[in-house]
């Protein structure tokens, strides 16, 4: 569920429904991502690196970084969509600059830079948090998404086999 106390601008019921469905997807649950702040055009999420999402060097797997940046960007996007509208990532360009050790916390921030009629552009940044609270940039991405009319079944739980 999306923490209502962290929202500066209330989400529409449609955006709330899509955001909840996205967060309840098994992959996002497996990774442990949670929303800190979500409003139209901006989202901040957080997760902790565990043994389930690291690689052989016990650092956060790059694929998890990419996918959680896409999820965070989608959460910023959802809050701007009209009822019955959805967006699909069509371009994703990223850079990873630093490793994040198991047990460290990562924050993702996505912001929409242009929201056109059919295309939307956003930037996403990932930061690891030090024990002193300092944030260090570990990755950045530029994303674009196609907007389209699409009815989604957000009540059906997807299971992995």
């Amino acid at each position: 569920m999306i923490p209502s106390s962290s929202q500066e601008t209330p989400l529409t019921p449609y955006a709330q429904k899509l955001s909840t469905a996205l967060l309840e997807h098994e992959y996002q649950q497996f990774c442990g991502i949670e929303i800190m702040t979500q409003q139209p055009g901006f989202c901040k999420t957080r997760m902790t690196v565990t043994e389930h999402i690291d690689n052989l060097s016990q650092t956060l797997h790059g694929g998890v970084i990419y996918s959680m940046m896409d999820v965070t960007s989608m959460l910023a996007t959802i809050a701007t969509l009209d009822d019955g509208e959805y967006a699909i990532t069509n371009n994703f360009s990223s850079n990873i600059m630093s490793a994040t050790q198991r047990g460290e916390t990562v924050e993702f921030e996505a912001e929409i830079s242009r929201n056109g009629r059919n295309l939307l552009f956003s930037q996403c940044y990932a930061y690891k948090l030090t024990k002193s609270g300092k944030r260090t940039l570990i990755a950045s991405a530029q994303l674009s998404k196609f907007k389209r009319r699409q009815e989604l079944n957000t009540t059906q739980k997807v299971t992995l086999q």
Side-chain angles (χ1 to χ4, degrees), residues 129-149:
L129 302 180
T130 64
K131 289 181 175 59
S132 66
K134 180 183 171 197
R135 295 183 348 149
T136 302
L137 184 65
I138 63 165
S140 65
Q142 293 73 46
L143 301 91
S144 62
K145 297 180 184 297
F146 285 121
K147 293 195 291 187
R148 58 185 281 177
R149 302 296 297 170

Side-chain angles (χ1 to χ4, degrees), residues 12-77:
T12 66
Y14 179 73
Q16 180 80 29
K17 180 179 170 183
L18 288 182
S19 297
T20 298
L22 183 60
L23 285 177
E24 289 178 353
H25 186 278
E26 282 195 38
Y27 179 64
Q28 279 75 260
Q29 292 287 307
F30 182 78
C31 291
I33 194 164
E34 60 183 353
I35 293 177
M36 305 307 296
T37 303
Q38 183 185 25
Q39 59 190 24
F42 178 81
C43 186
K44 181 177 180 179
T45 60
R46 177 174 64 192
M47 63 184 283
T48 300
V49 181
T50 67
E51 69 275 4
H52 301 295
I53 56 174
D54 68 2
N55 55 30
L56 293 176
S57 66
Q58 297 184 350
T59 60
L60 182 58
H61 191 284
V64 174
I65 294 172
Y66 303 146
S67 58
M68 293 303 105
M69 291 175 94
D70 189 39
V71 167
T72 304
S73 172
M74 187 62 189
L75 289 164
T77 299

Side-chain angles (χ1 to χ4, degrees), residues 86-153:
Y86 195 65
I88 298 172
T89 302
N90 72 313
N91 191 28
F92 183 101
S93 175
S94 65
N95 293 299
I96 295 181
M97 295 158 247
S98 179
T100 305
Q101 299 295 318
R102 187 185 293 173
E104 291 184 302
T105 299
V106 179
E107 288 183 347
F108 300 91
E109 292 183 5
E111 186 168 12
I112 295 174
S113 56
R114 184 170 188 278
N115 188 356
R117 187 180 62 198
N118 297 315
L119 279 175
L120 182 137
F121 299 89
S122 65
Q123 287 81 40
C124 190
Y125 300 95
Y127 302 90
K128 65 180 167 185
L129 302 180
T130 64
K131 289 181 175 59
S132 66
K134 180 183 171 197
R135 295 183 348 149
T136 302
L137 184 65
I138 63 165
S140 65
Q142 293 73 46
L143 301 91
S144 62
K145 297 180 184 297
F146 285 121
K147 293 195 291 187
R148 58 185 281 177
R149 302 296 297 170
Q150 180 178 353
E151 292 300 321
L152 299 173
N153 182 355

